[in-house]
Amino acid sequence: VEPRDINVTVTELNNTKGNTTLNITLEDPSTGEPLNGTVIVTLPNGTEVPVEVTNGSAVVPVDIPVPGGDVNVTFPTDGTYEGYNTTIPVVVNPRDSSINATVSNNTAGNVTVDVEIVDPVTGEPITEGFVNVTVGDETVGRVPVGPDGKATIPVDIQTNGTYSLVANYEGTENYTSSSYPLDNVEIVGRSSNITVTVENDTYGNTTINITLVDPTTNETFNGTVNITL
């Protein structure tokens, strides 16, 4: 007695990394009846996964990295039905990302932006890749994402004024890029301390010493002062 033919159909239901699934169906082509059986799914890395098909259908999650690869599905002959083998290309796309940002310091020369990057589907932190801040087409700060999905980005803005910033997650092979606009950010000038000491109090030769200090860094800086007698 010759084994009967069998139809094996494999379709990709979801092609997102970490959520890639295949639908496998078994059918008797003569009767159209769904069939039970075991198929072997071979992943691109060579891993073989046995899958039980019940009532003609099975949904199979598969762990395949981006960008995907060929998946082979084999139905070994069971004496009643002929063996069947098929290969389909499976495309795996990166997962979406979401970035949130706030300006944590708006002082010129000491501007910082705090960011948090998460997977919008799972809510889990994304812990890979880089984030940057741009003003127009210029990148003014860039750091790696921390192990908690957060980062503080030092921003190179030295002059006070109103700026439109954009915080950007650059994306990776596994995650798409995303951005968060920070419009109308007021950057204010830094505080300063001035110290004046009399160096010479002799009539006709009076001199004073003036020191300008940034109280945040305790560094001296250059500038112009007005002296009123």
Side-chain angles (χ1 to χ4, degrees), residues 98-103 113-115 132-136 163-169 178-185:
S98 177
I99 181 173
N100 186 62
T102 56
V103 176
V113 172
D114 291 341
V115 299
N132 67 61
V133 172
T134 56
V135 177
Y163 293 82
S164 291
L165 313 179
V166 180
N168 306 285
Y169 174 60
S178 54
S179 298
Y180 191 95
L182 296 163
D183 295 325
N184 299 317
V185 177

Side-chain angles (χ1 to χ4, degrees), residues 16 93-98 118-121 126 174-178:
T16 305
N93 292 324
R95 299 180 67 86
D96 287 338
S97 71
S98 177
V118 299
D119 184 314
V121 175
I126 295 174
N174 297 320
Y175 292 94
T176 62
S177 60
S178 54

Side-chain angles (χ1 to χ4, degrees), residues 25-47:
T25 61
L26 302 180
E27 182 186 74
D28 185 316
S30 298
T31 65
E33 292 293 320
L35 302 174
N36 299 329
T38 301
V39 297
I40 305 298
V41 177
T42 304
L43 303 181
N45 64 0
T47 300

Side-chain angles (χ1 to χ4, degrees), residues 4 6 34 38 40 46 59 62 92 113 140 142 149 185:
R4 298 166 64 93
I6 188 173
T38 301
I40 305 298
V59 175
V62 289
V92 179
V113 172
V140 290
R142 182 176 187 263
V185 177

